[in-house]
Amino acid sequence: TIITRCVIAIDHYLLSMVPAGAQVICLSDMYGTINSPNFPEPYPKESEVRWNISVPDGFQIRLYFLHFDLEPSYLCEYDYVKVEANGEELAVFCGREDSDTEQVPGEQVMSSPRSSFSVSFRSDFSNEERFLGFESHYSAVDVDECRDRNDEDLACDHFCHNYIGGYYCSCRYGYLLHSDNRTCRVECSDNVYTERSGVLSSSDFPNPYPKSSDCLYHIELEDGFLLSLEFDDTFDIEDHPDVTCPYDYVKIQAGEKVYGPFCGDRPPGKIQTESNKVQVFFHSDNSGENIGWRLSYTSSGRSPCPVPVKPLYGKLDPVQIQYSFKDHVLVSCDPGYRLIRDGEELEHFQIECQKDGSWNSFVPLCEKIESRRSRRSLPSILRNQILY
């Protein structure tokens, strides 16, 4: 029968390691004393006691001995004190001084990995020399989680702040603390790009992108444009050797078409979307330190406009090999000439390429200013130069 005076729950593993007939004492104070039975008198024979020390999370336990006097034996097979933490044996002590087969605690201070410690004492059937046993003390000490935490699953993403009994995390400006209270994420779903060309990227690129974030980028151009996307060669998104993009990924939707998901260190090729509206979705989980991605987008018209013909004594700006939807051409004349359109003199005139591949107006003629009156005698077919 296990004799227990515990006022708190005992770990089932610890109980399973307690021999039948042993006395179990649970200690939950922030400090205390543990002595062998009858100390400072000699301890009784055939005695087994286990002290389970437990303090709140955020603390460790320090244990040290002020007096130690147990029967010596080879590998401490007769009487001993055993110290354990989380089911792991940390030390076994016996005797009065260190030897090749025996160890005494001396002045060493033992620390628990977490917030619990177990100390067990056992004596065999004899104590003929009247060994006095031991006196030990324990105390709870604050854990500096910000300095000591090595567990990535519990470490703060940006800033860690320690206080007595615990710690908390905070994030850099522009970030939000995730519901897990340690990961820093970003709000990145209100990005709308309306220029005909541009660049977008994962947050902080080329530095590691934020964890636990879902970002949605919108590219929205006027009907008549077609968007093309191209990723930079620097492309680094967490992946998996056997499963397609289970952690982080970028995915693109253009109309009914979906491209991706994409991840790894090799960017996809150039994407011709055949759409004027594109959504770029990027997802990251709560781990990893990857650089991310950046892409450039350009646009072109569905149907190119024919190259306009320069009027005699005039010029076009800009001069291009091809003109697309929304491209503008400024028509002007050489010095001493004026544009004539519908009988009106103009210094310059602008035409625009439309989405059906036609110009919104014809290219007017250039005429000498002093011969303006003679123009009326010209046949009407020569007055206007029309582009087909």
Side-chain angles (χ1 to χ4, degrees):
T1 302
I2 298 175
I3 304 171
T4 178
R5 287 161 44 195
C6 292
V7 293
I8 59 174
I10 303 174
D11 185 275
H12 291 294
Y13 176 84
L14 295 179
L15 275 178
S16 67
M17 300 298 291
V18 179
Q23 179 183 9
V24 178
I25 301 173
C26 284
L27 304 173
S28 59
D29 291 333
M30 298 295 281
Y31 61 91
T33 301
I34 299 175
N35 297 332
S36 55
N38 297 341
F39 186 86
E41 299 297 323
Y43 55 81
K45 61 183 180 179
E46 295 183 332
S47 177
E48 291 194 42
V49 185
R50 183 187 185 95
W51 294 266
N52 287 334
I53 314 166
S54 179
V55 297
D57 290 338
F59 291 89
Q60 289 177 305
I61 302 168
R62 287 183 180 173
L63 175 71
Y64 55 93
F65 292 79
L66 295 183
H67 184 83
F68 196 87
D69 180 37
L70 265 65
E71 179 184 6
S73 62
Y74 178 76
L75 297 179
C76 302
E77 59 184 348
Y78 298 154
D79 304 347
Y80 61 79
V81 170
K82 182 186 296 183
V83 181
E84 298 170 283
N86 305 317
E88 179 182 355
E89 182 180 293
L90 303 182
V92 178
F93 301 120
C94 66
R96 287 175 169 164
E97 58 185 21
D98 285 343
S99 69
D100 292 340
T101 62
E102 300 161 359
Q103 181 185 6
V104 296
E107 296 182 357
Q108 68 172 298
V109 178
M110 308 187 68
S111 296
S112 63
R114 296 185 181 176
S115 58
S116 62
F117 238 165
S118 291
V119 179
S120 300
F121 168 72
R122 176 187 179 275
S123 62
D124 65 1
F125 60 88
S126 67
N127 187 8
E128 297 177 357
E129 295 188 35
R130 310 285 289 172
F131 295 98
L132 299 181
F134 66 90
E135 176 189 358
S136 66
H137 294 260
Y138 76 89
S139 60
V141 292
D142 178 51
V143 176
D144 188 345
E145 290 89 352
C146 300
R147 181 194 63 198
D148 300 336
R149 190 167 298 283
N150 297 316
D151 188 344
E152 182 182 347
D153 293 335
L154 298 174
C156 291
D157 211 4
H158 287 180
F159 303 120
C160 182
H161 311 273
N162 187 70
Y163 60 86
I164 296 177
Y167 74 103
Y168 68 94
C169 303
S170 66
C171 301
R172 295 195 298 268
Y173 177 78
Y175 289 76
L176 300 174
L177 191 63
H178 191 269
S179 57
D180 63 10
N181 290 324
R182 70 168 193 85
T183 305
C184 294
R185 63 183 182 86
V186 291
E187 282 290 350
C188 48
S189 293
D190 56 354
N191 303 288
V192 181
Y193 298 80
T194 57
E195 300 295 327
R196 291 179 55 179
S197 63
V199 176
L200 54 146
S201 67
S202 54
S203 297
D204 288 351
F205 183 87
N207 296 314
Y209 52 78
K211 303 178 180 67
S212 301
S213 296
D214 291 298
C215 300
L216 184 61
Y217 307 81
H218 301 265
I219 307 174
E220 298 181 357
L221 303 186
E222 186 178 341
D223 185 27
F225 286 110
L226 299 178
L227 284 161
S228 298
L229 312 178
E230 188 166 14
F231 285 89
D232 284 9
D233 290 337
T234 302
F235 187 88
D236 178 31
I237 300 176
E238 184 181 13
D239 65 354
H240 189 281
D242 302 318
V243 183
T244 303
C245 305
Y247 307 128
D248 306 344
Y249 57 84
V250 61
K251 186 184 295 185
I252 297 166
Q253 181 160 2
E256 298 297 322
K257 292 183 179 179
V258 176
Y259 303 88
F262 303 116
C263 62
D265 58 5
R266 300 182 64 181
K270 190 171 185 178
I271 300 174
Q272 306 282 4
T273 68
E274 301 296 322
S275 175
N276 65 306
K277 293 183 178 180
V278 168
Q279 291 183 339
V280 180
F281 178 70
F282 179 58
H283 168 78
S284 62
D285 65 5
N286 62 355
S287 64
E289 290 290 331
N290 298 79
I291 291 175
W293 54 270
R294 178 169 59 190
L295 68 80
S296 302
Y297 73 88
T298 56
S299 61
S300 59
R302 293 182 183 274
S303 301
C305 285
V307 177
V309 177
K310 179 176 73 69
L312 188 63
Y313 307 113
K315 55 186 176 182
L316 303 177
D317 185 37
V319 176
Q320 300 175 184
I321 298 175
Q322 181 175 304
Y323 295 88
S324 299
F325 178 46
K326 287 292 183 179
D327 279 348
H328 295 85
V329 174
L330 188 68
V331 186
S332 59
C333 295
D334 296 337
Y337 291 82
R338 285 287 187 274
L339 288 171
I340 305 299
R341 185 178 186 277
D342 296 333
E344 182 182 359
E345 288 188 9
L346 303 170
E347 287 191 8
H348 50 75
F349 186 74
Q350 184 172 271
I351 59 175
E352 180 180 310
C353 181
Q354 302 178 107
K355 66 181 179 180
D356 63 357
S358 66
W359 294 97
N360 69 326
S361 178
F362 58 83
V363 177
L365 290 171
C366 289
E367 189 174 310
K368 268 194 173 185
I369 298 174
E370 60 269 20
S371 62
R372 171 79 162 53
R373 291 181 180 179
S374 64
R375 179 181 181 277
R376 295 174 182 173
S377 63
L378 292 175
S380 60
I381 192 170
L382 297 177
R383 290 179 186 172
N384 297 320
Q385 181 176 347
I386 302 175
L387 177 63
Y388 295 94

